[in-house]
Amino acid sequence: MRFTTSAAFLFAASLATACGGPLEEGAALTGAEGEVASASEELIVLPPVLPCLTSSTVLAQPDGATVPYVWNCRKTGFVSTHATSVDATYHQTSCVDRFVVDVTNIGGRLAKPFVEAAPTSAPTSRSACENQSVSADAWAVTTSTWIYLGAVTGTGSWLPSAIPGIPGYCRTRFYVPGDSGYSKVRVTGIATSYGTKIPVRVGAEILEGNPC
């Protein structure tokens, strides 16, 4: 697994500064489909590190989704709020070969963006598992401004079963470091098996903090 959070954040910050500072939520993301537009509906020119925030980014299957977090007081710990691509055809002009998910209604709770392979058939061997790989980038809205959280890349980890006759388990969920204070998180992900794109699951784990 390789984290690139610090370097990516510094790169994003330098580009944002060069292009006039961070993006404002009200000016940068509007509408149910998350289109980037100014108050006059004109396209905003974004830094290269923010391609998945342009007006051509689609938040509907097969290329993306919007998933609101729903608080449930009967759940404790981290609750997964995510979407899974319907197939492996996801692709966007502004976000090439990425499935893009907005997790909304977070309400400032601690959020951990993640990506996970979602193959149509679960791998049944260590080799098949370790030949699965995932990659993701994540952004978040905090105090009305989009910020870049970082990126993650990883390969499958095979966990043998302790019960005879039961196949092992392939773990492919990897996280981009998150924090509290977000109103929404955007995560873009891709998953592959032996170098071929496969379905992917993308979202964030939200911390439940108020039991019934």
Side-chain angles (χ1 to χ4, degrees):
M1 181 175 66
R2 184 179 75 250
F3 287 101
T4 59
T5 307
S6 298
F9 182 80
L10 291 174
F11 179 53
S14 65
L15 284 174
T17 301
C19 296
L23 296 174
E24 293 298 322
E25 162 67 355
L29 194 66
T30 61
E33 297 302 317
E35 293 190 351
V36 180
S38 67
S40 61
E41 298 302 314
E42 294 178 355
L43 181 65
I44 292 176
V45 178
L46 302 178
V49 77
L50 303 174
C52 300
L53 297 180
T54 69
S55 61
S56 59
T57 302
V58 178
L59 294 174
Q61 291 279 10
D63 301 319
T66 298
V67 187
Y69 164 76
V70 179
W71 178 71
N72 185 337
C73 69
R74 292 180 174 82
K75 294 182 178 180
T76 59
F78 284 94
V79 177
S80 181
T81 303
H82 61 263
T84 303
S85 64
V86 295
D87 51 35
T89 63
Y90 50 92
H91 175 83
Q92 310 218 21
T93 301
S94 62
C95 202
V96 177
D97 286 329
R98 294 298 182 103
F99 185 66
V100 182
V101 173
D102 267 10
V103 179
T104 63
N105 198 39
I106 296 174
R109 296 174 179 86
L110 176 60
K112 300 194 305 182
F114 72 83
V115 60
E116 182 177 38
T120 53
S121 297
T124 58
S125 69
R126 178 184 297 273
S127 175
C129 173
E130 293 177 348
N131 274 285
Q132 286 189 354
S133 63
V134 296
S135 181
D137 289 83
W139 295 262
V141 172
T142 176
T143 61
S144 300
T145 301
W146 279 106
I147 61 171
Y148 182 61
L149 301 181
V152 66
T153 299
T155 56
S157 177
W158 182 252
L159 305 176
S161 172
I163 303 175
I166 302 297
Y169 171 74
C170 184
R171 183 173 59 193
T172 59
R173 180 169 293 196
F174 292 91
Y175 299 87
V176 175
D179 205 342
S180 302
Y182 308 143
S183 60
K184 73 174 70 175
V185 169
R186 174 166 293 186
V187 191
T188 72
I190 181 175
T192 62
S193 177
Y194 292 96
T196 299
K197 195 167 63 169
I198 61 174
V200 65
R201 183 173 297 111
V202 177
E205 292 184 4
I206 313 299
L207 180 62
E208 293 279 9
N210 297 304
C212 298

